[in-house]
Amino acid sequence: MRHFIFRWAITTFAVFVAAPIVGLSYSSFACLLGASLLLGIANAFVRPILLILSAPLILFSLGFFILVVNGLMLLIVGQIIPCFRVPGFW
């Protein structure tokens, strides 16, 4: 349980720091906590499946396609939580 809370805090801090740089927007700190919680859950369950399915693209692009998978994770969270906005995929 402590490991999960620690990873959730790190994800929250990372999204908080990256939001002004990348252009992510959120309406409140509670929204940021919820978005980072959902991002952590998506990274734990959905991301490994996407990485396995896209392994040929990852190998072909020398790992660059992992950035696309990470962007997809943020886009999915932005679509589910309305107060967390991702301006665009590219």
Side-chain angles (χ1 to χ4, degrees):
M1 185 69 172
R2 286 178 32 190
H3 180 68
F4 176 74
I5 292 174
F6 179 72
R7 286 188 60 115
W8 182 27
I10 294 296
T11 303
T12 303
F13 180 73
V15 173
F16 176 74
V17 169
I21 297 169
V22 179
L24 304 174
S25 63
Y26 52 90
S27 60
S28 66
F29 189 71
C31 176
L32 179 65
L33 286 175
S36 65
L37 178 65
L38 186 61
L39 184 62
I41 292 170
N43 280 336
F45 295 108
V46 178
R47 188 172 182 257
I49 296 169
L50 286 177
L51 289 178
I52 290 171
L53 292 176
S54 63
L57 289 172
I58 292 170
L59 291 174
F60 181 70
S61 67
L62 300 175
F64 185 72
F65 197 74
I66 293 175
L67 294 174
V68 175
V69 172
N70 289 339
L72 281 173
M73 292 292 102
L74 279 172
L75 192 64
I76 288 171
V77 170
Q79 294 294 323
I80 294 173
I81 297 181
C83 62
F84 183 76
R85 291 193 179 91
V86 179
F89 180 69
W90 301 108

